[in-house]
Amino acid sequence: MTIELNGYYTLILATLVLLLGRFLVVKVKFLSNFNIPEPVAGGLVAGVVVYLLNLLFGLTFQFQQQLQTAFMLMFFSSIGLSADFSRLKAGGKPLVVFLMVVAGYIMVQNTVGVSLAAMLGLDPLIGLVTGSITLTGGHGTAGAWGPVLENKYGVVGATTLGIATATFGLVAGGLIGGPVAKYLIKKIHHPRLPQISAQTHLESVAAAQSLYSTRHTETDDRSNDAMFDKPDEIRLITASSAIETMALFAGCMAFAGVMTTVAKGSIFELPTFVWALAGGVIIRNVLTHFFNFDMFDRAIDVFGNASLSLFLAMALLSLRLWELTSLALPVMLILAVQVAVMMMYATWVTFRVMGRDYDAAVLAAGHCGFGMGATPTAIANMQAITDRYGPSYKAFLIVPMVGAFFVDLVNASILQLFTQLPFLQ
């Protein structure tokens, strides 16, 4: 028996899932240590409850999809609206080089996933789900690509698998970053770098605070907010600024709707959420660089973060865990290989290309964080290293900018390229 829930009840249940997730993250140390997002913590419990109801009583639930889609588009619009390309100039050549290193790894990550999926007799598109869709992209990208793969390409259980894989990636990214960096630091003959003053360390972390956006943390974890969202002067979000920000989101979503229709059937056909992201990039950079418009980043962050939380809660309520029983073993094998590949790439490519020095070792730890999980995991990895060995201004400048602003743009482009490959059609 299927129970249909309208938008009101869908929203009510989503908020209850978020409240449950917040409670679990506060009470369960493991969840907070590995930056597990509150929507994921609560949503997975809700998913298990839905699974048990289906197993015991044959019940399934159908939630309001339009509301979920709207929140998804708002989240990706917020990514685009935060992507000011002047920040590339501010980061200089090292930021561009690191972005190229990250792009190269996304290609490797997807190649490994697709190849192993094909070897194990799975749909090659599952390789993208166990590749950059979830590991570099995180829960938001997993939830967005899931319906596309299910409805357009017929990949059964893509959303459910994506959420599970993204959660695995958060934990794995937090586990491997520290050991990789420590190995590299010993390799450059600095088994114990001299400690630098606490004030210098705080100044280094302050560089990240001024650039890091809580919007793209892929979590509503209040510990992250406290760490990265307390500048000296905070602009208050007023009713006027909220309306102004909603107008920007509306422009992005309208652009996405128009372009999805116009580009349908052409070589420029893209998922709607990619057009929302692109619309945000265009609106942001046109308004700021041609009209000197003062974008209210804090309001964009708040709206985007709230949208992501509600979208993930709704997506997790719709999990169909019974669709994954046959995929568990091969998927775990693919993920184990992905972890090993991430560690090797960070050691042999990221570290070497970024200069083979202490900063490069910290960058490698950060790359492990958002290459497998999300930006908060990358920051946590780097802080663990710098707390012990000393600060790295370069790493704290580059990683938040790449992880929070530019990696999603690159990932969306590469994923679109992979989905167009003939053997994946």
Side-chain angles (χ1 to χ4, degrees):
M1 182 174 67
T2 300
I3 299 176
E4 295 186 14
L5 298 172
N6 62 25
Y8 296 118
Y9 291 108
T10 299
L11 184 59
I12 290 169
L13 285 175
T15 54
L16 291 176
V17 165
L18 294 178
L19 292 173
L20 173 62
R22 181 175 301 175
F23 173 80
L24 291 173
V25 169
V26 170
K27 296 296 183 180
V28 182
K29 190 175 181 180
F30 170 83
L31 299 176
S32 59
N33 285 347
F34 288 100
N35 297 297
I36 303 299
E38 291 171 3
V40 175
L44 289 176
V45 173
V48 171
V49 172
V50 170
Y51 173 72
L52 292 175
L53 290 174
N54 176 268
L55 183 67
L56 298 175
F57 305 106
L59 293 177
T60 57
F61 296 87
Q62 184 173 336
F63 298 95
Q64 223 280 347
Q65 291 297 313
Q66 290 182 333
L67 190 61
Q68 179 180 328
T69 301
F71 283 124
M72 177 190 70
L73 294 179
M74 286 186 66
F75 165 61
F76 281 96
S77 296
S78 73
I79 295 175
L81 289 170
S82 299
D84 190 337
F85 283 113
S86 64
R87 288 171 172 147
L88 280 173
K89 183 178 179 181
K93 182 179 177 181
L95 187 146
V96 176
V97 172
F98 187 65
L99 186 58
M100 293 174 63
V101 169
V102 171
Y105 177 67
I106 293 174
M107 298 288 289
V108 171
Q109 198 171 54
N110 286 327
T111 301
V112 170
V114 170
S115 301
L116 287 175
M119 290 173 57
L120 294 170
L122 303 177
D123 187 330
L125 285 169
I126 289 180
L128 295 182
V129 179
T130 54
S132 73
I133 286 179
T134 60
L135 300 179
T136 295
H139 289 90
T141 306
W145 274 98
V148 174
L149 294 176
E150 289 171 350
N151 300 329
K152 184 176 180 180
Y153 298 99
V155 181
V156 177
T159 302
T160 307
L161 177 62
I163 296 297
T165 301
T167 304
F168 171 89
L170 279 176
V171 177
L175 289 175
I176 66 175
V180 166
K182 290 174 185 176
Y183 165 77
L184 293 173
I185 290 170
K186 291 180 180 179
K187 187 176 180 180
I188 56 177
H189 307 296
H190 289 280
R192 176 73 179 178
L193 292 179
Q195 293 290 337
I196 303 178
S197 70
Q199 179 61 34
T200 305
H201 175 65
L202 291 175
E203 291 173 356
S204 178
V205 176
Q209 293 176 347
S210 64
L211 293 168
Y212 183 74
S213 166
T214 56
R215 182 261 321 138
H216 191 60
T217 60
E218 306 220 349
T219 173
D220 198 27
D221 185 353
R222 292 300 178 266
S223 64
N224 288 326
D225 291 349
M227 189 179 299
F228 295 110
D229 197 23
K230 285 190 176 179
D232 294 333
E233 296 182 5
I234 297 178
R235 290 174 59 187
L236 298 178
I237 299 176
T238 63
S240 177
S241 63
I243 293 172
E244 180 183 283
T245 304
M246 285 192 288
L248 294 173
F249 280 100
C252 296
M253 295 167 73
F255 175 82
V258 170
M259 291 306 300
T260 299
T261 302
V262 171
K264 188 173 184 179
S266 70
I267 60 173
F268 298 104
E269 182 176 0
L270 299 171
T272 305
F273 71 87
V274 178
W275 284 119
L277 189 155
V281 172
I282 294 170
I283 291 174
R284 167 79 190 219
N285 289 279
V286 168
L287 289 179
T288 55
H289 298 302
F290 292 95
F291 297 97
N292 294 319
F293 182 77
D294 185 15
M295 301 288 284
F296 195 175
D297 286 319
R298 180 171 172 78
I300 293 171
D301 294 346
V302 169
F303 277 85
N305 200 32
S307 298
L308 174 61
S309 295
L310 289 167
F311 161 59
L312 284 178
M314 294 177 186
L316 287 160
L317 281 169
S318 304
L319 288 183
R320 303 171 68 89
L321 295 173
W322 52 89
E323 295 177 346
L324 295 183
T325 53
S326 63
L327 296 176
L329 186 60
V331 165
M332 287 306 300
L333 178 59
I334 296 174
L335 293 177
V337 174
Q338 290 284 26
V339 171
V341 171
M342 177 76 259
M343 296 177 72
M344 290 187 290
Y345 190 94
T347 302
W348 297 337
V349 179
T350 306
F351 175 69
R352 295 186 179 188
V353 172
M354 297 310 297
R356 299 188 183 190
D357 54 13
Y358 175 65
D359 288 325
V362 180
L363 282 168
H367 192 188
C368 288
F370 73 76
M372 290 296 296
T375 307
T377 309
I379 298 296
N381 284 351
M382 295 193 302
Q383 283 189 318
I385 297 302
T386 56
D387 284 346
R388 178 178 179 184
Y389 296 105
S392 172
Y393 177 87
K394 181 178 179 181
F396 273 100
L397 176 70
I398 292 174
V399 169
M401 293 179 68
V402 173
F405 300 116
F406 300 113
V407 70
D408 282 295
L409 305 179
V410 175
N411 194 24
S413 301
I414 293 175
L415 284 170
Q416 188 61 29
L417 174 65
F418 267 83
T419 57
Q420 299 305 311
L421 295 175
F423 63 91
L424 290 177
Q425 297 293 315

